[in-house]
Amino acid sequence: MSSLKPGSTIGILGGGQLGRMLAQSAVQLGYRAVCYAPPGDNIAADVCVDHFENGWGDKAALAAFAAKCDVITWEFENVPLSVLDALPAERVVPGKRALEIAQDRLNEKLFVEELGATCAPHMRVDNEDDLKRAADRVGTPGILKTARDGYDGKGQWRIASAHEAGGIRFPGRTCIYEGLVEFETEFSVILVRSKDGAVKYWDSTSNRHEGGMLVRSALPAGKLIEAQVEEARDIAGQTADALGYVGVLTLEFFATKQGPIFNEMAPRVHNSGHWTIEGAATSQFENHIRAVAGLPLGGTETRFAQIEMRNIVGEDALAAHQILAEEGEPHLHLYGKKEAREGRKMGHVTRVSNSAD
């Protein structure tokens, strides 16, 4: 397939901050952006020439959206598969298979294990009795997760003991129970794959989470992560090839004394890659647009000796402009969300330096 000509339209499924930053990169490269999302605070619409606020099941609206788009991508993995079925398959990049795998934690684990990845011990759980058996076989402490949905730690319950497993109120849908992994730190492998199969990787940051939400990503990542990146990249690259993936793909890992342990996959641009906007030769957002548009990929080299990205959450956004007074030219990104709710990602700040300190 030839590359999209300037002035073509890229459709984005989803209206959040990832869609907003994808749209900004699309506009930079001379494209028009149109987003589609259910009614809500769809901040991506601010930088799109048009937007559709319709339900995922509105086939007429989806058809009208598709008619405006030369290629269609997504900003998050919880877009219903039925939406993709209603769109022209040849225009949807990456393909449906990536969402089918990523939307089910059980299928995701099995998929990467077949490629040679090591995962935490886990079992499928369909009811209270299954949970008791899982807690006994896998052991405690552990985490019960819904097999589908869940984002930023939602849909997860930590279980400290077999007794606690017996008393939990089961959520009433298929789940996965995972044994806790003893890890030193967390990291992600973010890659971009072109339509001709070329793959490029960004450096892996050390990631810190609180309450299931990413708080901080930093480079240098440390010796443990640096020693395990190549093995993790091999799994990520095999995953992208097996899916015939096009665009940015993210795999998250635990760095342990035994090596990298796969945690989860995100078939999209990722929060732990926001640092690439200022910190890399080409950002994850621009390279995703390049890939889905059939353009040559940009370089992924890191441009600074030290980089730190921090999320701005909840009411911290109300005082975020004070960050601009700091020395070192911090790079502030506020997403334009109307309400600064507790636990809601409102923006991020990236600090870069070539100091060796």
Side-chain angles (χ1 to χ4, degrees), residues 190 202-203 272-285 350:
I190 306 178
W202 284 273
D203 283 337
S272 64
H274 288 358
W275 67 270
T276 63
I277 298 172
E278 288 85 22
T282 311
S283 78
Q284 62 168 345
F285 301 101
T350 301

Side-chain angles (χ1 to χ4, degrees), residues 190-192 202 245-250 266-269 284 287-288:
I190 306 178
L191 64 80
V192 60
W202 284 273
Y245 197 87
V246 176
V248 171
L249 174 69
T250 306
R268 55 171 171 83
V269 290
Q284 62 168 345
N287 256 342
H288 185 79

Side-chain angles (χ1 to χ4, degrees), residues 1 5 25 31 33 44 65 71 79 93 118-119 144 156 171-172 180 189 196 225 244 246 254-255 279 299 311 355:
M1 179 181 174
K5 296 178 181 178
S25 287
Y31 297 120
F65 166 73
V71 68
V79 175
V93 186
T118 301
C119 300
L144 180 69
Q156 301 185 20
L180 283 187
V189 172
D196 63 6
I225 290 174
V246 176
F254 299 114
N311 278 326
S355 170

